[in-house]
Amino acid sequence: MLKYVNTGIVFQEIPDEVTLAINISNCPCHCPGCHSHYLWEDIGLPLNTDAIDDFLAEFGNDITCISFMGGDADPKAVNLLAQYIHEEYPTFKVAWYSGRLRIPSIVNQTDFDYIKVGPYIKHLGALKSPTTNQRLYRRLEDNTFEDITSRFWKK
Amino acid sequence: MEIKNFTITKRDGSKDQFSLDKIMNAVLKAFDSVQQPVDLGSISQILSHLDISNDIKVEDIQNQVEEALMKEGYYKVAKSFMLYRQAHSEDRETLAKLQFLADYCESVNAATGSKYDANANVEHKNIATLIGELPKSNFIRLNRRLLTDRIKKMYGKQLADEYIDLLTHHFIYKNDETSLANYCASITMYPWLIGGTTSIGGNSTAPTNLKSFCGGFVNMVFMVSSMLSGACATPEFLMYMNYFIGMEYGKDYYKNPERVVDLSVKQRSIDKVITDYFEQIVYSLNQPTGARNYQAVFWNVAYYDKYYFESLFGNFYFPDGSQPDWDGLSWLQKRFMKWFNAERTKTMLTFPVETMALLTKDGEPMDKEWGDFTAEMYSEGHSFFTYMSDNADSLSSCCRLRNEIQDNGFSYTLGAGGVSTGSKSVLTVNLNRCIQYAVNHNMDYKDYLGQVIDLCHKVQTAYNENLKELQAHGMLPLFDAGYINISRQYLTIGINGLVEAAEFMGLKITPNDEYKEFVQGVLGIVEKYNKQYRTKDLLFNCEMIPAENVGVKHAKWDREDGYFVPRDCYNSYFYVVEDDSLNIIDKFKLHGAPYIEHLTGGSALHMNLEEHLSKQQYAQLLKVAAKEGCNYFTFNIPNTICNDCGTIDKRYLHECPHCHSKNVDYMTRIIGYLKRVSNFSQARQEEASRRYYATKQKYTVKEEAKANA
């Protein structure tokens, strides 16, 4: 079962959106140099459709996007929640910050509006670094994905 | 009199051994000074009246000596003794001034050196600012005397004493007590447009062309500001300028701004002519001003969307019979904002403080073009305030002042009714002390606050009478000439220490029902008295004051007196500035409709961010503000200014992007206006460094978390 530790309203992670970021625990990636060891453990509150309902009751139209930060231990569960949001709350965008190199085939990528992939590799840097291995994609109307990582490099 | 080993308390509070010889010497000198011989028996007789107790103050001994001399019938000697004391006390005052002068010269900046009214708007410390500082204590005494004399006449001595008691024990604070002028005003420039500055004591006639408008405008703002202690807002500035540009280059000048209209060798275009005038006006008005203690004038301007424009100026007529032209003004407003934003990367320009007025409907700006433009300007890093309302019945035309528009009409003598407003005087309640005092003394804090606030209203009413008397003697030409209207100006009850009082009551400072009820309860009391004391000529409002220096003073005084003081500078927001657990939406909620309902005089949410957002994100936050009913706000991203090469960058950087120096300073809006952090007083600088700027590292999902994902 997915669990989350905390949430935040963020601006930098998804360009042009006001995003509710949900920090998911039990991360299997264990990137060397990770400073969020607390997210390696299986801790926090259950992240299910009830939790999603509560978040949207709280934030409503104040936000434009919901982003799952992690959840790589159970990608199918993340997919189901994304599907749930699009069905129940069609005005919101859904994003996923995954630490894997690629999205597993069991996940239906078109259930997401933004997908970030790639582990954190210290010498390459995070998204803001032009040498980063990480990529952020945005889904276009024809359901293909556009690489918008360069948005992070603009001054 | 029995002589024991007493100690006495000297004027500076230190103790000294009591010495009868010193008293005898003083008495002998007094006899000597009037050439009256005296014998030892008489001296003993005089001294026998003295009642010396341990730790007695020097002043008290001297009082007793005076009385003793009179009891023994030495009236001439007593008089000489009194005169001697007076001369010495004048000496001591001069000494204290000399000490202050020395300290001021040594202090790190002007705000820290100021003893009475620290103000970051004074950028430099020099002979001119020192001249302004020195008489401040005299002004405070004079203002108190003027006010207490009036209170005695109107309400009796007891209330005057209570006022001084609350003031000296820091339950209340009289703002701007170091100035004699009334506080701030948003003016209508119509009297100037019709008659020039002669009616307020100047010598210029009405502006007749673009050049005389721009030159005369600067002089007019300087003149008006020298008769106010606070800000001067000119909400019609761009509208009038648009009129004069139209007179010069045709009403549709904005359709072809590249047209060359200057036939000198410079061959300037319309756009260049206009921006040159912007430059002249803005740079002139940012100069330090002699008449205002070497501060720049606190100049404010307003921008309007189409709906606000129509509501305010729909009935307006210029002297040539034409009406203001929205399309031209819309272009000019945008041009000014773009120009000003770019100019601010060249040098630090604090003024004008700008407010964008947007009308909203169903949680969105009604004028989509101007809603979009607002978001665009924020995303380009421009720093300004936005005022949003779902009804054009109120307006904020200054960095803090909000007013109900009572009259949208136009008159051929007074101009547009809606823009003329202001605050005559601010009297602030230290809520943290009042509430703690009541609770500690087992009183109902609401009852106690009610008493204090009731007194504040009487004091303000007395102030108003003094103002009316000044006006009756022709001392207030701004009122007489119609720039402002005395009965449309507010008497303001300020509040400070609200968050701290709530924390004392054990409340959590988050959007929760208990805190909301507390805020509504406290502000509701002010509102109740505001209504009760309101008459045809008396208007009251309530404002959360920016408290640049009061917030620091209150915290210090309250801590010294043993009150619960959770931070060194009382907040001027509904949330705790250093609290990193609140998200942006929480902050909009905490400045939303339920909280600001009774804050009739306004309070601005300063949304502190570390990085600029995109236009789309700002547009979304405008919607959030509209939905939550947060009507007045700005986004505040510290700008970086390099101390070595002078480069100004709109971003919050730790290193100069040009010369890579780490010796950088920041410009931020701690209170209403944008200033260098190093110009703020020491205590305010500390608050600024603790202030929580929403950052990627701190505020949002952590970089590490992202890396981990």
Side-chain angles (χ1 to χ4, degrees):
Chain A
M1 184 181 58
L2 291 174
K3 289 181 189 166
Y4 73 100
V5 179
N6 51 24
T7 63
I9 301 291
V10 304
F11 296 93
Q12 308 304 329
E13 281 66 13
I14 308 292
D16 299 342
E17 307 287 348
V18 176
T19 303
L20 174 73
I22 304 168
N23 285 331
I24 299 169
S25 60
N26 200 23
C27 180
C29 299
H30 295 199
C31 302
C34 172
H35 297 296
S36 300
H37 277 264
Y38 74 103
L39 289 176
W40 292 15
E41 288 161 47
D42 189 14
I43 52 169
L45 301 163
L47 180 60
N48 49 31
T49 54
D50 287 347
I52 298 290
D53 291 341
D54 289 346
F55 289 140
L56 287 166
E58 185 185 347
F59 292 103
N61 289 325
D62 289 349
I63 55 170
T64 60
C65 178
I66 295 159
S67 183
F68 298 103
M69 313 307 280
D72 288 312
D74 190 354
K76 194 67 207 163
V78 175
N79 191 174
L80 285 171
L81 288 177
Q83 218 180 344
Y84 175 77
I85 293 168
H86 273 160
E87 277 167 14
E88 294 294 317
Y89 306 97
T91 55
F92 295 91
K93 305 248 177 73
V94 181
W96 185 16
Y97 260 59
S98 164
R100 292 194 189 271
L101 287 164
R102 63 189 65 81
I103 297 298
S105 58
I106 48 162
V107 169
N108 181 14
Q109 297 192 13
T110 57
D111 285 329
F112 295 90
D113 299 282
Y114 297 92
I115 295 178
K116 176 246 143 192
V117 288
Y120 173 63
I121 298 173
K122 204 177 170 188
H123 76 104
L124 298 174
L127 280 166
K128 278 222 161 172
S129 156
T131 58
T132 186
N133 59 302
Q134 301 185 319
R135 284 290 170 271
L136 180 68
Y137 297 99
R138 177 171 65 194
R139 185 164 59 90
L140 303 175
E141 274 181 20
D142 63 359
N143 280 341
T144 60
F145 280 83
E146 172 196 19
D147 184 346
I148 59 166
T149 316
S150 61
R151 285 286 302 262
F152 291 95
W153 309 332
K154 277 192 197 142
K155 291 241 160 163
Chain B
M1 189 183 66
E2 189 190 350
I3 306 295
K4 279 194 286 186
N5 275 340
F6 285 117
T7 53
I8 58 156
T9 309
K10 291 166 71 173
R11 281 189 185 81
D12 63 2
S14 67
K15 309 280 182 201
D16 201 359
Q17 201 66 36
F18 171 73
S19 156
L20 192 64
D21 287 351
K22 281 188 181 168
I23 300 180
M24 275 177 69
N25 271 336
V27 173
L28 283 170
K29 270 189 191 164
F31 274 93
D32 210 28
S33 69
V34 290
Q35 279 113 35
Q36 188 165 337
V38 62
D39 57 34
L40 199 60
S42 309
I43 297 277
S44 323
Q45 188 60 34
I46 292 162
L47 295 184
S48 70
H49 290 292
L50 303 188
D51 178 18
I52 309 291
S53 55
N54 208 22
D55 289 343
I56 189 167
K57 289 184 186 148
V58 172
E59 296 278 344
D60 292 333
I61 299 177
Q62 291 182 329
N63 289 343
Q64 290 191 30
V65 171
E66 280 177 19
E67 282 173 28
L69 286 168
M70 289 192 280
K71 271 185 197 153
E72 291 297 315
Y74 301 110
Y75 296 108
K76 255 170 81 183
V77 181
K79 189 179 169 194
S80 168
F81 187 75
M82 285 177 212
L83 289 172
Y84 167 85
R85 282 182 76 187
Q86 177 62 25
H88 270 253
S89 104
E90 280 165 16
D91 256 10
R92 272 192 303 275
E93 210 168 291
T94 310
L95 268 178
K97 286 256 155 66
L98 281 173
Q99 185 61 44
F100 172 76
L101 190 148
D103 290 349
Y104 188 84
C105 294
E106 292 291 324
S107 66
V108 289
N109 67 20
T112 308
S114 173
K115 195 169 169 188
Y116 297 102
D117 200 4
N119 191 320
N121 197 30
V122 181
E123 268 182 47
H124 304 283
K125 191 180 75 150
N126 57 30
I127 188 82
T129 61
L130 179 59
I131 289 167
E133 283 298 321
L134 285 172
K136 278 185 173 177
S137 62
N138 295 347
F139 268 122
I140 292 176
R141 278 210 297 269
L142 178 65
N143 276 324
R144 281 192 191 176
R145 184 61 188 266
L146 282 169
L147 203 47
T148 48
D149 282 355
R150 178 68 64 179
I151 298 169
K152 274 182 209 163
K153 258 187 227 162
M154 292 174 72
Y155 305 103
K157 185 172 182 303
Q158 198 191 339
L159 196 89
D161 291 345
E162 269 175 53
Y163 169 60
I164 293 298
D165 192 56
L166 288 176
L167 207 54
T168 49
H169 291 95
H170 311 304
F171 286 82
I172 56 178
Y173 181 89
K174 180 75 192 77
N175 301 59
D176 300 284
E177 224 178 358
T178 55
S179 165
L180 207 56
N182 49 302
Y183 183 55
C184 68
S186 166
I187 60 165
T188 168
M189 310 199 303
Y190 196 73
W192 174 62
L193 182 70
I194 300 301
T197 56
T198 45
S199 59
I200 53 170
N203 59 9
S204 67
T205 52
T208 51
N209 56 45
L210 183 57
K211 194 173 175 205
S212 63
F213 168 80
C214 294
F217 176 76
V218 171
N219 290 330
M220 187 271 296
V221 172
F222 277 141
M223 287 180 71
V224 169
S225 294
S226 66
M227 290 185 245
L228 298 168
S229 61
C232 165
T234 56
E236 298 160 322
F237 163 60
L238 289 170
M239 186 190 92
Y240 282 20
M241 188 168 174
N242 181 55
Y243 165 72
F244 282 104
I245 299 171
M247 276 183 27
E248 203 102 353
Y249 303 114
K251 276 203 160 182
D252 55 356
Y253 70 90
Y254 57 91
K255 288 182 180 155
N256 190 6
E258 296 313 314
R259 185 157 61 95
V260 173
V261 290
D262 174 3
L263 300 179
S264 74
V265 283
K266 292 201 171 155
Q267 297 276 303
R268 295 181 305 165
S269 63
I270 290 180
D271 191 72
K272 178 72 174 135
V273 169
I274 290 173
T275 51
D276 279 354
Y277 279 124
F278 288 163
E279 190 178 304
Q280 175 201 341
I281 291 170
V282 168
Y283 279 79
S284 299
L285 288 175
N286 275 280
Q287 292 292 324
T289 316
R292 286 174 58 92
N293 189 11
Y294 218 58
Q295 297 182 39
V297 296
F298 298 7
W299 177 40
N300 293 253
V301 298
Y303 311 114
Y304 309 99
D305 68 5
K306 194 175 182 198
Y307 300 96
Y308 253 107
F309 167 80
E310 276 167 6
S311 158
L312 281 171
F313 306 118
N315 301 316
F316 189 97
Y317 288 91
F318 283 107
D320 68 355
S322 71
Q323 285 205 282
D325 174 41
W326 166 248
D327 294 323
L329 177 61
S330 177
W331 183 88
L332 191 65
Q333 289 185 150
K334 288 181 182 175
R335 190 69 195 92
F336 184 78
M337 282 181 95
K338 293 266 180 185
W339 172 84
F340 193 36
N341 188 37
E343 204 65 22
R344 273 185 167 164
T345 60
K346 294 185 194 159
T347 185
M348 207 202 58
L349 294 165
T350 302
F351 300 105
V353 173
E354 312 146 83
T355 297
M356 171 76 72
L358 295 177
L359 210 59
T360 58
K361 193 178 181 185
D362 304 327
E364 285 192 52
M366 263 173 88
D367 185 337
K368 200 173 170 320
E369 180 191 343
W370 273 89
D372 277 357
F373 187 72
T374 304
E376 181 182 323
M377 287 312 298
Y378 278 126
S379 72
E380 287 178 11
H382 192 40
S383 181
F384 59 99
F385 289 89
T386 295
Y387 184 75
M388 294 203 300
S389 172
D390 54 10
N391 196 327
D393 63 356
S394 65
L395 183 68
S396 230
S397 42
C398 160
C399 57
R400 46 192 281 190
L401 179 77
R402 173 183 174 275
N403 71 295
E404 306 293 325
I405 299 174
Q406 299 149 53
D407 169 17
N408 272 349
F410 171 79
S411 104
Y412 282 96
T413 47
L414 295 170
V419 296
S420 168
T421 183
S423 173
K424 293 184 266 203
S425 153
V426 185
L427 182 57
T428 294
V429 181
N430 177 357
L431 291 171
N432 194 28
R433 182 176 289 236
C434 289
I435 288 174
Q436 290 194 33
Y437 179 84
V439 170
N440 293 343
H441 289 79
N442 295 317
M443 289 185 270
D444 182 311
Y445 77 81
K446 288 188 177 178
D447 287 348
Y448 183 71
L449 266 183
Q451 291 167 29
V452 173
I453 292 165
D454 184 61
L455 175 136
C456 288
H457 283 77
K458 289 188 171 122
V459 172
Q460 289 283 56
T461 307
Y463 174 87
N464 197 60
E465 285 305 308
N466 280 350
L467 204 60
K468 275 158 71 180
E469 195 172 293
L470 281 172
Q471 191 189 9
H473 287 86
M475 300 297 287
L476 304 174
L478 293 182
F479 293 115
D480 296 332
Y483 286 68
I484 40 181
N485 179 336
I486 196 164
S487 55
R488 269 207 208 120
Q489 287 238 315
Y490 290 87
L491 293 161
T492 301
I493 305 296
I495 56 157
N496 187 229
L498 176 76
V499 159
E500 289 72 18
E503 287 171 309
F504 169 76
M505 297 302 285
L507 299 173
K508 276 207 167 59
I509 313 302
T510 58
N512 70 70
D513 287 347
E514 287 82 21
Y515 178 52
K516 186 167 78 186
E517 277 162 25
F518 172 80
V519 170
Q520 288 178 334
V522 168
L523 299 183
I525 300 171
V526 182
E527 175 78 356
K528 183 188 134 192
Y529 284 97
N530 282 353
K531 285 188 174 147
Q532 188 183 315
Y533 278 83
R534 182 180 175 142
T535 68
K536 191 162 60 62
D537 299 314
L538 279 179
L539 287 173
F540 291 87
N541 63 10
C542 173
E543 182 198 32
M544 188 182 264
I545 59 163
E548 178 187 1
N549 75 87
V550 186
V552 175
K553 284 179 183 169
H554 276 160
K556 179 174 159 275
W557 291 329
D558 289 353
R559 184 170 286 144
E560 281 168 5
D561 290 346
Y563 290 94
F564 162 78
V565 176
R567 57 191 58 80
D568 295 339
C569 173
Y570 286 175
N571 250 290
S572 33
Y573 309 100
F574 285 107
Y575 61 88
V576 176
V577 275
E578 70 270 17
D579 184 354
D580 58 1
S581 70
L582 290 175
N583 64 47
I584 283 191
I585 289 164
D586 289 336
K587 290 180 183 174
F588 273 112
K589 281 189 175 148
L590 283 174
H591 275 257
Y595 293 88
I596 62 170
E597 182 191 350
H598 298 304
L599 222 47
T600 45
S603 91
L605 165 66
H606 290 66
M607 185 61 85
N608 297 314
L609 302 172
E610 187 161 88
E611 288 188 56
H612 292 285
L613 310 182
S614 70
K615 182 180 168 184
Q616 289 87 341
Q617 289 172 330
Y618 280 121
Q620 173 67 17
L621 290 181
L622 291 181
K623 285 187 198 171
V624 171
K627 187 187 133 207
E628 301 297 345
C630 172
N631 62 12
Y632 203 26
F633 57 89
T634 184
F635 297 99
N636 187 31
I637 296 96
N639 288 190
T640 307
I641 178 164
C642 177
N643 288 328
D644 289 333
C645 74
T647 297
I648 298 176
D649 196 285
K650 298 268 174 195
R651 293 168 295 169
Y652 185 26
L653 304 170
H654 300 285
E655 183 186 295
C656 172
H658 179 70
C659 73
H660 302 287
S661 162
K662 294 230 180 344
N663 180 18
V664 292
D665 194 2
Y666 300 103
M667 295 185 288
T668 188
R669 228 179 247 289
I670 286 185
I671 39 180
Y673 39 81
L674 198 66
K675 276 283 166 186
R676 262 181 189 254
V677 170
S678 61
N679 282 348
F680 288 101
S681 68
Q682 205 79 54
R684 260 296 177 185
Q685 285 190 37
E686 281 159 26
E687 185 266 333
S689 68
R690 277 192 305 275
R691 174 179 293 208
Y692 193 74
Y693 287 98
T695 120
K696 190 153 61 58
Q697 276 80 26
K698 290 189 284 189
Y699 194 90
T700 63
V701 172
K702 292 188 171 67
E703 184 76 18
E704 306 87 76
K706 219 169 25 170
N708 188 41

